[in-house]
Amino acid sequence: MRKKPATLRVARWSATHPWSAIGLWVVFVVLCLFLGGAAGTDKLDSDESGVRESGRAGKIVSSGHFTQRPEENVLITAESGGKLDQRAARRAARDITGRMKALPEVRSVGEPVPAPNGKALLVPVTMTGDKDDALDRVRPLLGVSAEADRADDGLRIEQVGDGSTAKGMSDTIGEDFKRAELISVPLTLLILLVVFGAIIAAGVPVLLALSCVVSAMGLSSLASHVLPETSAVSNVILLMGMAVGVDYSLFYLKREREERRKGRSHLAAIEIAAETSGHTVVVSGTTVIVAMAGLYLAQEATFASLATGSIIVVAVAVLGSVTVLPALLARLGRRVDRPRVPFLWRLTMRSGQSRVWPVLLRPALRRPVLTLVVSIGALLLLALPALDMKLKQPGQDDLSRDIPVVQATDRLTDAFPSEGTVHKVAVRARAGQAGQVEAALRGLIARTEGNRMFAHDQTPVIRESADHRVHTVDVGTPYPPKNAKATESLKVLRGWVPQALDEVPDAESAVGGAVAQGADFTAHLEERMPWVVGFVLLLTFGTMAVIFRSLAVAVSAVLLNLLSAAASFGVLVAVFQHSWAEGLLDFDSSGTVVSWLPLFLFVVLFGLSMDYHVFVVSRIRETALDGASVRDSVREGIVRSAGVVTSAAIVMVAVFSIFGTLNAVEFKQLGVGLAAAILLDAVVIRIFVLPALMTALGPWNWWPGGTSQTGRRPSAGPVPAEGGADAPAGPYAPSPVTGAAPDGAATRASHGDAPGHRRR
């Protein structure tokens, strides 16, 4: 007798002990929250997380243990943007200086610095404390600047610095994420309401997904003490958690409802859902986790952090789907379909087979080779722009110019270029060589003078660590990070630094900064990408081969997902490297794609696409195991899974699209890229490419395993005789090979009619 899958045994216990299962889940969620809150989050230190030369520069600076005082700059310009009234500006500067010095948050205020072009006056302010808490203490300083701005007609007075910039970005981007969170939950509920036609059925997946997100955030905080966490992790957890949490519940609920419509008892329906969809959820979750684990091979702290957060939330979503979800369904019973929304309920409970999907599948089933050629050709055409993909690290120059703090920063860097794009030169040597290092750096500064590739509005200041071993100096360039000349100035400076230190034996030097970090990060990814991609492809192939015992299914899964990913990359490049979509999506194109996105997107897409692939191919194989022909199996499997796959895809596309409305360009690109990929996968791959390919392959689909196990069906038994009149035929109707199945009485005797029934 075939051994029952673990998902069936777990679901059976949960369904017969619902309160225990629900209670354990609540304890798990609360415990995750409590432990995560108690442990706190260990944030990733940007100085310690870099790669290549910029990474070495960060480590050299960090070893100097410099006191990082938060700096603020009060910028005074003419309100008209033209020539500045110097007398009025200096009067305002004196007033600001006096009021700033009276604040306990201010350590010192420097002398006003006029801009070389005469259009601005800068008042430098140093805050007390350190940079980490500047955001929390900058409000009084902003109040002084705002009041001065209101008092002086004709002058524009604004503040840019560590705390004020962080606050301005937090107010804008933080509000973006809050809005995204507020929209995503009601939107998901609305979609599920259309899918199920009942409020409780729509609410269960959302409730489970939210509990998974909350639990994963707590666990992620604990994990951060092993692998420090980047600030984007919580957003990725929300994105992935809502997507997979709702999808997995949807798979389960739709199958349980399908079996109840065939006349099965409530417990029997839960058990069949556990044995089929529950097992598929575990397999799908495993493939996502395997794919995300590939990010560790990138050997970069940000990717390791994103991989950890994603793996945790997917694992929690799988756990919830196979444990507490059966308990909820058992406890709710038929109340899960209440209260019903009249029109939507009738729409979801229409009897008979869908008329739309057989029509959509007709080209793939009747002319598979032609359909395959046309659909693959269309996807390759979409993928063409990806060949011209250009990568760059995101920065402030990628943000919308409508953000006030971004506008203020633009005016500051226009008047004082050295406050904008900066190359950080770091040198570590013996303490006794401090004088030689300082002399060498002064020579380097002198070499930059008069060179148009570097900024000259202020003289660079050399800083020395308390132990005299580490020296740093910031060399500005007048070009924004996205400008090719900024990268050129970096290359020049990296060539000059070793020459300047020729007379300092054993000195260790490196050049970092925003431009350097972006260039090094991109180069590092290009080097590591083949390892990550190869790992994901190999593990995906192996997983699919083991699950389906078919090399053909494994190869086709890899190829189809590669095709889907390539097409989505093409869409990403077409939208963001060019300017035609700027007005539509409210962004300023930098002519590049965020450098970390392609690799992360590839891994996420491969994992999520496998969800659908496993689910659809599992339904096709179920029908094939009952003796149906390949063409009939493909038609039956896709038609029966089309509703849930389409619903799940709509939920994912909706959630991802919300992220496309955010101001941060990396999340905008992430949202659009994921939404496009899921849409292409659910429409083009599942309707045309997959059915056409499987129809063309015929019996070779299942090579070398074959489908000799005809008549095999889930162990919960066949459809009861009294419930089958209106039930659509499917893989659990009497087998065409073995004939009529046993009557329904045996099923009820075996499983019990009530969810609370227990076996002895």
Side-chain angles (χ1 to χ4, degrees):
M1 183 176 179
R2 187 167 59 94
K3 184 180 179 180
K4 306 298 187 297
T7 53
L8 174 59
R9 298 194 296 273
V10 171
R12 183 174 291 162
W13 184 89
S14 295
T16 53
H17 304 80
W19 284 120
S20 298
I22 294 170
L24 287 172
W25 181 255
V26 171
V27 169
F28 171 74
V29 173
V30 171
L31 194 61
C32 290
L33 268 177
F34 173 76
L35 293 176
T41 303
D42 186 11
K43 292 293 185 181
L44 190 63
D45 185 350
S46 58
D47 288 338
E48 297 285 350
S49 61
V51 294
R52 299 198 171 198
E53 184 171 341
S54 58
R56 295 200 307 274
K59 290 178 174 63
I60 291 173
V61 173
S62 181
S63 70
H65 302 291
F66 290 95
T67 302
Q68 298 291 326
R69 300 289 185 191
E71 303 284 344
E72 291 292 322
N73 297 292
V74 180
L75 182 68
I76 305 173
T77 57
E79 197 168 21
S80 62
K83 186 174 178 60
L84 178 66
D85 182 342
Q86 292 292 333
R87 182 176 297 179
R90 288 193 175 275
R91 184 173 58 248
R94 284 194 298 271
D95 177 58
I96 291 168
T97 298
R99 296 174 63 184
M100 285 286 188
K101 285 182 175 179
L103 296 176
E105 294 84 4
V106 172
R107 181 182 181 86
S108 63
V109 181
E111 290 295 320
V113 181
N117 60 11
K119 291 185 177 182
L121 190 67
L122 186 70
V123 180
V125 180
T126 302
M127 295 179 64
T128 56
D130 54 40
K131 287 186 177 182
D132 292 339
D133 61 1
L135 171 63
D136 302 323
R137 298 182 303 105
V138 77
R139 191 180 297 275
L141 284 76
L142 290 171
V144 169
S145 299
E147 191 171 337
D149 182 55
R150 289 191 296 268
D152 287 290
D153 292 334
L155 296 179
R156 180 193 288 115
I157 300 174
E158 50 200 344
Q159 191 171 319
V160 179
D162 296 320
S164 54
T165 300
K167 186 179 186 306
M169 298 308 300
S170 176
D171 290 346
T172 302
I173 296 178
E175 286 301 317
D176 275 355
F177 283 117
K178 287 179 183 176
R179 187 179 70 251
E181 292 168 8
L182 289 175
I183 294 174
S184 63
V185 174
L187 183 59
T188 303
L189 271 172
L190 183 62
I191 295 169
L192 292 176
L193 200 59
V194 174
V195 171
F196 289 109
I199 293 176
I200 293 179
V204 166
V206 175
L207 180 64
L208 186 59
L210 288 174
S211 69
C212 291
V213 168
V214 168
S215 304
M217 285 185 175
L219 292 174
S220 179
S221 293
L222 290 176
S224 71
H225 294 277
V226 178
L227 290 172
E229 182 178 297
T230 181
S231 59
V233 167
S234 59
N235 307 120
V236 170
I237 286 176
L238 174 64
L239 192 73
M240 295 284 290
M242 288 302 296
V244 300
V246 169
D247 270 16
Y248 293 163
S249 301
L250 194 57
F251 292 165
Y252 207 107
L253 272 166
K254 291 284 279 186
R255 187 57 182 262
E256 187 267 350
R257 174 183 277 191
E258 178 185 326
E259 296 304 324
R260 278 195 290 114
R261 286 183 64 188
K262 293 177 182 179
R264 298 190 189 278
S265 71
H266 200 69
L267 183 59
I270 291 173
E271 290 186 354
I272 291 178
E275 189 174 3
T276 54
S277 294
H279 182 65
T280 301
V281 163
V282 173
V283 172
S284 299
T286 302
T287 59
V288 176
I289 289 171
V290 165
M292 296 307 301
L295 287 177
Y296 291 119
L297 294 180
Q299 296 183 355
E300 200 276 329
T302 300
F303 280 122
S305 174
L306 294 175
T308 302
S310 301
I311 288 171
I312 288 172
V313 76
V314 172
V316 172
V318 171
L319 180 66
S321 299
V322 299
T323 56
V324 72
L325 184 57
L328 285 171
L329 294 178
R331 189 62 198 150
L332 287 169
R334 297 192 180 276
R335 291 190 299 276
V336 74
D337 291 329
R338 311 279 181 181
R340 298 172 180 175
V341 181
F343 172 74
L344 295 178
W345 175 257
R346 289 195 299 272
L347 195 65
T348 61
M349 296 305 290
R350 286 184 304 177
S351 60
Q353 196 178 66
S354 168
R355 296 179 182 179
V356 176
W357 288 100
V359 173
L360 292 174
L361 289 172
R362 194 173 295 159
L365 298 178
R366 289 187 176 179
R367 293 181 176 83
V369 176
L370 178 62
T371 303
L372 203 58
V373 171
V374 172
S375 54
I376 289 178
L379 289 173
L380 290 176
L381 195 63
L382 273 178
L384 273 180
L387 297 176
D388 188 40
M389 182 183 290
K390 295 179 177 64
L391 303 178
K392 187 186 80 68
Q393 275 283 71
Q396 194 157 303
D397 53 324
D398 295 305
L399 295 170
S400 171
R401 300 349 264 179
D402 294 332
I403 302 174
V405 72
V406 175
Q407 295 174 356
T409 303
D410 287 344
R411 283 187 282 269
L412 174 66
T413 55
D414 181 59
F416 299 93
S418 60
E419 296 289 340
T421 308
V422 172
H423 304 308
K424 184 175 286 293
V425 179
V427 181
R428 182 164 52 199
R430 295 189 299 272
Q433 296 174 308
Q436 292 175 274
V437 172
E438 185 169 346
L441 291 179
R442 291 195 185 282
L444 178 69
I445 293 170
R447 192 171 182 180
T448 64
E449 293 175 359
N451 191 310
R452 297 180 63 183
M453 298 180 71
F454 302 99
H456 308 297
D457 55 282
Q458 298 182 60
T459 303
V461 177
I462 299 173
R463 300 177 65 202
E464 183 179 299
S465 64
D467 62 3
H468 310 295
R469 295 179 64 250
V470 177
H471 293 75
T472 69
V473 62
D474 291 344
V475 179
T477 178
Y479 307 106
K482 65 182 178 183
N483 194 304
K485 290 186 177 181
T487 304
E488 187 180 345
S489 69
L490 170 68
K491 292 178 181 177
V492 170
L493 194 61
R494 281 182 167 176
W496 287 354
V497 168
Q499 296 172 15
L501 293 166
D502 272 345
E503 302 299 322
V504 187
D506 302 322
E508 181 184 359
S509 65
V511 180
V515 177
Q517 288 169 354
D520 291 344
F521 187 80
T522 301
H524 178 77
L525 284 189
E526 290 173 353
E527 178 187 296
R528 299 303 305 173
M529 189 174 288
W531 292 94
V532 178
V533 171
F535 173 85
V536 172
L537 295 182
L538 184 62
L539 265 292
T540 300
F541 174 83
T543 303
M544 296 298 288
V546 169
I547 293 167
F548 292 102
R549 295 181 175 82
S550 166
L551 294 180
V553 168
V555 171
S556 65
V558 170
L559 293 179
L560 295 189
N561 281 284
L562 276 175
L563 190 61
S564 176
S568 67
F569 286 163
V571 172
L572 194 66
V573 170
V575 171
F576 288 98
Q577 279 191 198
H578 305 286
S579 59
W580 65 269
E582 286 182 334
L584 181 66
L585 294 175
D586 188 25
F587 73 101
D588 295 313
S589 175
S590 63
T592 60
V593 171
V594 174
S595 56
W596 61 265
L597 193 60
L599 186 58
F600 182 74
L601 201 60
F602 171 81
V603 171
V604 173
L605 291 181
F606 231 81
L608 295 182
S609 295
M610 290 306 296
D611 273 358
Y612 299 145
H613 198 85
V614 170
F615 188 78
V616 173
V617 175
S618 294
R619 293 304 295 261
I620 293 172
R621 184 169 173 79
E622 283 179 27
T623 310
L625 288 172
D626 273 343
S629 67
V630 172
R631 192 183 301 269
D632 290 342
S633 298
V634 171
R635 181 191 296 108
E636 191 75 10
I638 292 180
V639 168
R640 287 196 167 279
S641 61
V644 66
V645 169
T646 304
S647 303
I650 291 172
V651 170
M652 278 198 178
V653 170
V655 172
F656 295 152
S657 296
I658 293 170
F659 275 70
T661 66
L662 303 182
N663 275 293
V665 69
E666 58 263 50
F667 290 108
K668 191 182 290 287
Q669 291 187 8
L670 178 63
V672 171
L674 286 172
I678 297 300
L679 193 60
L680 288 170
D681 190 80
V683 176
V684 182
I685 298 292
R686 304 303 157 209
I687 296 176
F688 299 107
V689 182
L690 177 64
L693 179 62
M694 295 192 76
T695 303
L697 287 175
W700 288 100
N701 279 295
W702 315 115
W703 184 85
T707 55
S708 58
Q709 302 176 65
T710 54
R712 190 182 74 174
R713 57 180 63 82
S715 58
V719 179
E722 66 271 24
D726 297 322
Y732 302 118
S735 168
V737 176
T738 58
D743 63 32
T747 301
R748 292 191 300 275
S750 172
H751 296 285
D753 291 314
H757 173 78
R758 298 186 182 182
R759 290 180 183 77
R760 292 183 179 276

